[in-house]
Amino acid sequence: MLQLLYLLLGVTVLGFNRTPGQLLVVITSACVLDVVLHRLIRGSWLFPLSAFITGLSLSLLVNYAHGLWLPLIPVFLAIGSKYLFSVDGRHVYNPSLFGIVASLVLANDMISVSPAYQWNGIPALGVFIATAAILLFGLRIRRSVLVVAFLGFFLACLGLRAWIMRHHIPPETLILGTLSAPAFYLFTFFMITDPATSPESRKGQVFMALVIVLVDFFLHIRETLSTLFYAAFVWYSLYGLWRLWESCRAPDKGPGERIKILAGGFRCHINWRERLRTVLALGLLAGAGLGMGRLWLMPMSQVDPGFVLVEIPAAQAGISTHPGQVLQQGPGWLTRACGTWPSGCCPWEMPWRWRISTGMAGRICLSPIP
């Protein structure tokens, strides 16, 4: 239980912004929810080891410093995704990853990914996690090819990003800051290596690593945050569709568990009764949770702050603005962003975004207006 040990160190020694109450709520609710859903949907009891690991991952990777009950949102989304999105009895998304991505999209910025500074800037702990994960976890699940391919592709793209941004941030800062974050290692060794959601063949693992790294690189160009999680979500979505296609092409498995696709003659082995029970169970739990949140945990009642905000006219405040006259003052001077061109100035037709992304805005050139 490497994650449990690391979480205990984070709370007691490393200063993670977590309280024991929050950790207890996350891990316990994940286990209880998994047991209840499995009983309601599939009619049997189970030992929630998978949910326990999901709770540990969410405790480490999700930032919810404010409120004791807010962590229930990623837990519900993570555990619920196991039953709602599945093909042939195997879930499509890694539960922790789905809970994180869905929370980032739906929680209106109240939940975010754990910041890098919470790890206390100790690269040795990242190395420890990587080494222990390889010895204790990576080899057993036979995903070493996936890990090596992902690290190789990622390092190549990271070096390219460091070169592109060399005029804006020191390359060593970008490279070491990325590789020394233990969250990166947790993603690499514990999230994408999930046996239920990653390919078994070596070629499939290499292709998975390549897709995730390329999508991550594209999202970095688009200035997106939490890029690795979104990139992995894109992969799991595409891989899930491919698994569904393969399931549709497989031989029939019995009556009551298949349905014809209108566009072709394939049969998909989907237990629609179980899907209906899943939707009903998740809908009832979500409704009950929202009701409790509104009425008990976070009641929407008006609070008197003891003060009133009053608008002050600009003339009374003494604050005013007016446009500058630089471009209208005679021949003047025009400020232009410049790079390493022989003339010293960037051509006007070059797109501004391309100049910024390639680091060609490092110097300023003053050129007289004709």
Side-chain angles (χ1 to χ4, degrees):
M1 288 286 101
L2 180 63
Q3 290 176 317
L4 178 60
L5 174 61
Y6 193 60
L7 186 61
L8 293 176
L9 289 176
V11 175
T12 57
V13 179
L14 301 179
F16 290 3
N17 54 344
R18 305 287 186 275
T19 64
Q22 288 177 328
L23 302 181
L24 184 63
V25 167
V26 170
I27 298 175
T28 303
S29 60
C31 295
V32 172
L33 182 60
D34 197 18
V35 172
V36 172
L37 287 178
H38 199 276
R39 177 62 180 177
L40 293 177
I41 296 172
R42 298 178 180 172
S44 60
W45 301 100
L46 86 162
F47 184 74
L49 178 60
S50 175
F52 180 75
I53 298 175
T54 299
L56 292 176
S57 300
L58 293 176
S59 299
L60 286 168
L61 296 175
V62 179
N63 188 32
Y64 38 75
H66 305 288
L68 182 63
W69 303 105
L70 197 60
L72 291 177
I73 295 177
V75 169
F76 175 79
L77 295 171
I79 302 301
S81 68
K82 293 175 54 178
Y83 299 92
L84 186 61
F85 304 104
S86 63
V87 176
D88 293 335
R90 297 171 54 192
H91 45 273
V92 173
Y93 299 97
N94 176 271
S96 301
L97 181 132
F98 185 89
I100 292 173
V101 173
S103 298
L104 292 175
V105 175
L106 301 176
N108 195 24
D109 295 332
M110 292 187 293
I111 297 176
S112 61
V113 176
S114 298
Y117 60 78
Q118 88 156 24
W119 309 99
N120 241 7
I122 306 178
L125 285 178
V127 176
F128 168 74
I129 290 178
T131 305
I134 293 175
L135 296 177
L136 302 178
F137 194 72
L139 298 179
R140 187 181 63 172
I141 62 174
R142 299 179 180 179
R143 293 299 186 273
S144 300
V145 174
L146 173 59
V147 172
V148 173
F150 174 77
L151 290 177
F153 293 141
F154 186 82
L155 288 175
C157 286
L158 180 61
L160 179 59
R161 287 198 292 118
W163 181 82
I164 292 176
M165 298 295 294
R166 66 191 184 279
H167 294 290
H168 307 283
I169 183 173
E172 61 273 15
T173 301
L174 179 61
I175 295 175
L176 294 179
T178 301
L179 298 182
S180 63
F184 168 75
Y185 291 101
L186 291 173
F187 174 86
T188 304
F189 292 100
F190 293 97
M191 186 169 290
I192 63 174
T193 55
D194 184 0
T197 57
S198 58
E200 297 182 0
S201 65
R202 293 186 175 184
K203 291 182 179 180
Q205 294 177 27
V206 173
F207 183 68
M208 173 182 177
L210 179 62
V211 171
I212 291 177
V213 170
L214 290 179
V215 175
D216 172 77
F217 185 78
F218 172 78
L219 293 177
H220 270 291
I221 295 177
R222 305 299 299 177
E223 301 177 359
T224 306
L225 301 176
S226 306
T227 53
L228 277 178
F229 297 106
Y230 288 116
F233 183 85
V234 171
W235 160 259
Y236 284 129
S237 300
L238 297 176
Y239 185 55
L241 292 175
W242 181 83
R243 286 169 53 191
L244 180 61
W245 174 262
E246 289 294 312
S247 176
C248 293
R249 298 174 58 189
D252 295 342
K253 294 185 178 180
E257 296 188 0
R258 61 182 184 235
I259 183 172
K260 281 189 176 181
I261 298 180
L262 297 178
F266 301 107
R267 294 179 180 271
C268 292
H269 306 284
I270 301 176
N271 191 329
W272 293 102
R273 294 181 180 179
E274 180 177 304
R275 286 290 182 272
L276 180 59
R277 289 195 299 268
T278 301
V279 172
L280 291 177
L282 292 177
L284 290 175
L285 290 176
L290 290 175
M292 291 178 60
R294 292 293 186 182
L295 298 178
W296 178 36
L297 302 178
M298 294 179 291
M300 302 296 292
S301 58
Q302 294 184 352
V303 178
D304 184 9
F307 60 88
V308 178
L309 298 177
V310 179
E311 182 179 0
I312 300 177
Q316 182 179 351
I319 301 175
S320 62
T321 60
H322 61 276
Q325 304 293 326
V326 175
L327 299 180
Q328 287 78 22
Q329 294 175 356
W333 296 87
L334 182 63
T335 302
R336 296 198 290 181
C338 301
T340 56
W341 295 83
S343 62
C345 295
C346 301
W348 284 111
E349 62 271 11
M350 182 181 297
W352 173 256
R353 178 179 294 274
W354 193 87
R355 275 185 277 157
I356 291 297
S357 64
T358 53
M360 302 188 66
R363 293 184 295 166
I364 298 299
C365 168
L366 297 179
S367 175
I369 299 177

